[in-house]
Each structure stands twice: as C-alpha cells, then as structure tokens.
Amino acid sequence: MPKEKNKFGQYFTIESIARFMVSLIHHNKKAKIIEPSCGEGVFLGALRSSGFENVVGYEIDKSLTNFYSNVIYKSFLSVSDDEKCDVIIGNPPYIRWKHLEEELKKELETNNLWKTYCNSLCDYLFIFILKSIELLKDNGELIFICSDYWINNTNAAKLREYMLANGYFQSIYSFKEAPLFRGVTASLIIFKYIKSKKKKDEIDFFDYTYGKVAPSNFDLEKGACFAHSIIPHFQPNTRWVLSSTCDHASLDLFENVCVDKNLLVPAKCTLGEVCEIGNGMVSGLDKAFRIPDEMELNEEEKKSFIYVYKSKNLDRFVAIEKSRYIWTNEEMTEQEYMEKYPHFWSILSQYKDELSKRYSYGRNLKPWQFAFPRSLNLFSEPVDKIFCPCKDRISNRDYVRFSYAEKGVYPLQDVTGLAKKKYVKEDILYILAFLNHPQTFEWIKNRGIIKGDVVEFSEKPLSSIPFRKIDWTDKNEISAHNAIVKECQKIINGSEKSTAKMNKIITRLLYGN
C-alpha cells in the first residue's frame, strides 16, 4: 500500500501503475534510465523485472527503506547536466513553494532552471520536469505520473512553452480522480514526452473509463480501462485541452462569433469585459454565524444580518434557499456586544474557542467579525448579480450552476459572484441566459480550468469565457436581447420550465438562421 505524503511531497506509487508505465518504454533493454525520486523502489523493481539493468535511482529522503543497490541518496536536481540518459521515469513529488522545506527552497533559489522558468507560486513538480528534459538525450523518453493541474495553471505557462520548444507529447493517459493513491483526490495523468526537435500534430489520448474504481493489472496491461482517441497536439500560446470529444472547430467558431460589434473595429469579447467578478466572503467558521430560521431577533439584530448563498444552495438559473448570517463588524467590547446583540451572542459564544483560532488575515479579529469580507464593495452594490460555485463537479450533468442572485444577497467563500459593469447595457438576465447556454457549457468543459470533472471558477477562468455583446444599432439584435431576458425571467419565476425557446434565440443570435 502507498504511504502517506511526507514533508518531501511524496505519494508512493502502487506496483501495477509502475509496471504499466515501464511498459510504455520503447528504448531497448540497454537504455540508460534514471528514476529521479525513487522512494522505496517500486519503479526500480518494475524496471528490473522487465529486463532493464542500466538504471540509477535518486532519492533525497534517507529515512526510506530501499532494497536496491543502485540508489544514490542525493537530490536529483544536483545531477550534472552531462549525465545524459535515454529514459526518465517515475512519480515526481508535488508540493507548493510555500509548503517546501527550507533546505529545498535554498536549493531552488540557486537553480538556474527554477529561476528562469518558475516563481514562488509554482510547484516542486515543475523543476523535476524541467531537469528531466535537460538530462534526456535526443529522442529520450520522459514518462511521469502527476497531477494534471499544471496543464492550464497560469504559473506553469513558461514550463509548457519550454516543453513545446524541446519536444512533443506522444501519449497521455487521463485518470481524472481514479483512486491511484490512498487518500489522494487529485486529477492524475500519465504522460509520455519525447525530447526532439521534431514536432507532432497529434497525441494519442487515453481516457480512463472506470470512474472511481482502481484498475487491475490485467485491465492496465490490455488497455481495457481506456477509451483511445487522437487529439490535436498542444500549440504555443494556446490552452492545452485534454479531451477526446472536443470539437475544436465548433469552439473556435463560438469564440469568433462572440464579439463586440459596438466598437469601430469589432473584436472578440469575453465575460471579464462586461462583468466585475469577485470571490465570496470568508467568515472563518460558517456554523458560528448562521442564524437559525426560527430565532427571534431584537430591533438591532434585525438590522445587523445579511442573507447569504453557499455553493450547495445554487442551481441553474435559481438558488434553492438563502440563510441569515450575523453581520456585525463594528468595534466594541464583548460586554457591549452581549447587551446589543444577545441572540447573536448566544450563537457565537458556543464557538468562542474555535473562532479565536481562525486564520485572521493579519487582523485582530473579534468573535463576531468575518475573517475576510472579500469583494465587499462589489457585493454591497444594490444590483442583481449572478453567483456560481467556485468549484463545480460536472461529471453527471451537462451544465454549470450559474444562478440569479437578487440584490442584497451575499456569496460565501465557496461561491464566486458577478455583477455587470456600470457601462454595460446588456441586462443581467441576458448574461445569465448566455452563461447557461449549452454552447457556453461546451466551451467551459473543453477550454475552461478543469481538474478531473471539477470546473474551477475563480476570477481569471470566469473572465476568459467568450461573451456575445448586443449590437445596439441593430433592431433585430435588440429584439433578440429583450426576448431572451423575457424568457429567462419566466424561468426564474417558475412560470416556464423549458429553456428550449430561450436557447434557440441565443443560438440564432450567435450563428444566424
């Protein structure tokens, strides 16, 4: 069984995965192979049993038990660039800079690759990929299992460009959130990368089809647990898309028709150009701030709460229910607070110890104060808004939960809020209808920030969604806008269940008749 993660960012690979990865090696048995973070030697064992003998493993953690003599206990990053090899294979460590041990940070601060291609928001994984490619001979193979988050992570942009400049991906196996490691819920991939001056147009893509069931040795060996397809190779300065069902031509067309025709020269438009976007507010301990529905309040308390939505409350177009939360951020003594807000204090006092341990964001927090009222000015604006989950699992449905939020309701930390910019003429319901349209969902699913089956919606990925503005000099477009708003209002009111008519108008607006 794999061990738990330790201070060096280790997740230990199960034998069946190591054997499968070794089977992807195309070099002959005399190939020089490096395992850069060999742990207890599962890859070394798989390589030996497959007949590879010219193998060396590197391991920084001397506390690990290893039965193989070909292990060198030093940092892989210290290996000389002159020690070229044919294959590098393994499970590199994943750990964010802020969680790195000081000894590892010091090593990176003097590493030229790290200084050139990485920053303090990057993952330790990045340097292992960079160093591996540096050590490979021409046509050398890099075979790693790792999280897929760097595929679209902003801070990995230089890493991705470096990889494209120095080789190509031959194959990628996407396991999404299959349980390949104990206690890990990351979206995982195995990739095979070839160091080469040649370029490829396509990648062999293997999509794991067993969901959250671990694969057997037999299924891996026979490929029975994968759906195979060919996807376009990644290109410089573009999003990397891991999808076998993506219709790139259709998505390209969608981006091209999402324009602002009101400009002197019509140009592509995105959601970030029409909406202010902010992450929801952090109480630090939600259960301490929620006011029971049945609780009676005094006059001061009636003026000192807010309505909030959490992610679980959101559905497509409408929210299910809202909750009352204590909202008293003023400075006063505990005694003064008890006298002014007795019912609130009866709730807060139950959690006083837990509230004192909240992360304070550098503030001297009182028990009744929110830890971090993010984007408060945006959410305090007396206008209707759109809320969506910061993270939304879409494995069993074909939509994201963009929900109408009436003025005066606030989002909590697992919700992202959008309000249209003041100069934007489009109605908030038109924006809501557009975001809930099937074509928008296809774009999000294939070109948004997705880890496994979970869409991530912080400000940047939301801002990048294509958006079709109305040409306010065109009577037909104005009529379409008003019809969409009318249909969306019916859906919110509950007088209309079907979105078919509304979606048809949006489709016609996008693509014509």
Side-chain angles (χ1 to χ4, degrees):
M1 296 293 290
K3 287 189 174 182
E4 301 298 328
K5 176 180 181 291
N6 70 6
K7 67 178 183 178
F8 294 112
Q10 298 159 321
Y11 293 102
F12 292 87
T13 313
I14 56 177
E15 185 178 352
S16 59
I17 292 294
R19 283 180 158 183
F20 173 68
M21 290 172 64
V22 168
S23 74
L24 302 179
I25 297 174
H26 285 167
H27 276 72
N28 62 41
K29 303 302 180 183
K30 295 180 180 180
K32 181 178 179 181
I33 300 177
I34 290 178
E35 212 287 44
S37 52
C38 63
E40 295 180 330
V42 64
F43 283 97
L44 301 180
L47 288 163
R48 176 179 291 182
S49 64
S50 295
F52 293 100
E53 296 181 356
N54 189 10
V55 179
V56 61
Y58 291 92
E59 177 53 54
I60 197 172
D61 187 356
K62 297 179 181 179
S63 69
L64 294 175
T65 302
N66 200 303
F67 301 103
Y68 299 95
S69 60
N70 53 336
V71 176
I72 299 174
Y73 285 97
K74 73 173 186 178
S75 169
F76 172 62
L77 304 187
S78 68
V79 177
S80 170
D81 288 346
D82 296 330
E83 294 188 34
K84 301 297 184 183
C85 62
D86 301 298
V87 179
I88 295 180
I89 186 170
N91 174 13
Y94 343 125
I95 189 166
R96 298 293 173 89
W97 169 270
K98 64 181 179 180
H99 296 137
L100 280 173
E101 297 293 308
E102 285 304 315
E103 62 192 274
L104 301 183
K105 285 184 178 180
K106 288 179 180 178
E107 183 179 37
L108 292 179
E109 285 169 352
T110 59
N111 185 285
N112 288 330
L113 281 172
W114 179 268
K115 290 191 291 184
T116 303
Y117 297 101
C118 303
N119 58 50
S120 61
L121 296 176
C122 291
D123 195 290
Y124 198 40
L125 161 68
F126 298 6
I127 192 63
F128 272 72
I129 296 175
L130 291 163
K131 180 68 175 180
S132 296
I133 295 172
E134 288 287 304
L135 289 177
L136 286 174
K137 300 176 184 177
D138 288 342
N139 297 312
E141 302 172 348
L142 175 60
I143 303 170
F144 269 174
I145 180 170
C146 60
S147 167
D148 68 2
Y149 79 95
W150 60 274
I151 294 292
N152 278 303
N153 181 277
T154 302
N155 295 299
K158 288 186 177 181
L159 167 65
R160 292 193 295 270
E161 296 303 306
Y162 172 89
M163 295 182 79
L164 293 181
N166 288 279
Y168 61 88
F169 289 87
Q170 186 177 91
S171 56
I172 296 177
Y173 296 79
S174 175
F175 288 87
K176 296 184 178 175
E177 295 180 356
L180 303 188
F181 303 110
R182 186 177 65 192
V184 178
T185 55
S187 179
L188 299 170
I189 58 171
I190 292 172
F191 70 81
K192 181 176 178 180
Y193 171 91
I194 309 298
K195 183 174 182 178
S196 173
K197 294 180 181 179
K198 298 179 181 178
K199 302 301 176 186
K200 294 290 184 179
D201 295 328
E202 299 173 332
I203 301 172
D204 279 305
F205 181 69
F206 297 85
D207 202 3
Y208 187 68
T209 59
Y210 284 13
K212 293 194 174 183
V213 178
S216 67
N217 289 337
F218 176 83
D219 290 332
L220 286 169
E221 290 172 6
K222 301 298 182 183
C225 52
F226 299 109
H228 174 242
S229 60
I230 303 295
I231 64 174
H233 200 283
F234 310 134
Q235 298 299 319
N237 302 312
T238 61
R239 297 183 65 81
W240 290 13
V241 179
L242 289 180
S243 175
S244 59
T245 59
C246 177
D247 183 345
H248 288 276
S250 173
L251 295 180
D252 289 343
L253 176 60
F254 176 61
E255 291 179 1
N256 289 331
V257 299
C258 285
V259 295
D260 185 350
K261 295 182 179 180
N262 302 289
L263 304 173
L264 289 176
V265 179
K268 289 184 181 181
C269 184
T270 61
L271 189 63
E273 294 171 54
V274 296
C275 284
E276 302 286 356
I277 302 171
N279 295 320
M281 303 191 304
V282 181
S283 73
L285 190 68
D286 284 356
K287 63 183 178 181
F289 288 83
R290 191 183 189 286
I291 305 169
D293 295 339
E294 68 278 4
M295 178 173 279
E296 296 288 339
L297 304 178
N298 66 27
E299 291 305 312
E300 287 293 337
E301 290 167 336
K302 288 177 182 178
K303 297 183 290 185
S304 302
F305 72 83
I306 55 174
Y307 285 108
V308 303
Y309 285 138
K310 299 185 71 170
S311 176
K312 67 179 181 180
N313 303 131
L314 305 181
D315 206 344
R316 184 167 52 165
F317 290 101
V318 293
I320 299 168
E321 63 176 336
K322 57 190 176 186
S323 302
R324 297 186 299 176
Y325 267 52
I326 295 169
W327 183 249
T328 50
N329 281 341
E330 63 257 53
E331 294 289 339
M332 61 176 65
T333 67
E334 193 171 290
Q335 183 61 39
E336 289 172 333
Y337 191 89
M338 292 169 61
E339 293 174 0
K340 188 174 183 180
Y341 304 110
H343 300 99
F344 289 175
W345 185 249
S346 70
I347 303 170
L348 293 165
S349 60
Q350 301 175 54
Y351 305 101
K352 193 173 178 181
D353 185 54
E354 291 178 75
L355 288 166
S356 68
K357 296 175 182 177
R358 291 178 295 168
Y359 184 69
S360 65
Y361 297 89
R363 299 167 57 210
N364 182 23
L365 285 178
K366 303 292 186 182
W368 51 84
Q369 293 176 325
F370 263 51
F372 187 19
R374 293 185 297 192
S375 307
L376 179 59
N377 290 338
L378 171 63
F379 300 133
S380 297
E381 284 290 318
V383 295
D384 296 338
K385 302 174 184 71
I386 297 170
F387 289 172
C388 67
C390 292
K391 297 183 178 182
D392 201 13
R393 184 175 296 280
I394 58 171
S395 49
N396 297 315
R397 50 184 164 80
D398 59 357
Y399 61 89
V400 175
R401 293 176 292 148
F402 289 102
S403 178
Y404 170 74
E406 65 272 32
K407 64 188 72 173
V409 182
Y410 293 75
L412 291 186
Q413 66 186 54
D414 59 356
V415 172
T416 303
L418 304 90
K420 71 173 190 174
K421 295 181 177 180
K422 295 187 185 304
Y423 60 81
V424 172
K425 294 180 66 175
E426 285 79 3
D427 194 283
I428 192 70
L429 296 188
Y430 169 77
I431 300 172
L432 177 64
F434 186 88
L435 290 175
N436 280 310
H437 188 269
Q439 182 66 81
T440 308
F441 175 77
E442 283 301 310
W443 189 94
I444 291 169
K445 183 176 72 172
N446 291 292
R447 295 189 176 177
I449 303 298
I450 298 186
K451 299 177 183 178
D453 288 321
V454 178
V455 180
E456 299 209 346
F457 278 142
S458 57
E459 180 180 353
K460 191 155 189 174
L462 274 172
S463 296
S464 67
I465 296 173
F467 182 76
R468 174 61 157 83
K469 292 199 75 176
I470 296 297
D471 179 356
W472 295 102
T473 65
D474 187 321
K475 292 182 180 180
N476 290 329
E477 291 206 6
I478 295 172
S479 177
H481 168 272
N482 294 340
I484 292 165
V485 170
K486 183 178 179 180
E487 290 302 313
C488 189
Q489 186 66 66
K490 289 179 183 178
I491 292 168
I492 292 170
N493 292 341
S495 60
E496 177 60 69
K497 301 295 184 183
S498 174
T499 61
K501 182 178 179 179
M502 181 179 65
N503 287 338
K504 187 176 181 179
I505 301 171
I506 296 173
T507 300
R508 193 184 315 121
L509 179 67
L510 285 168
Y511 305 114
N513 295 325

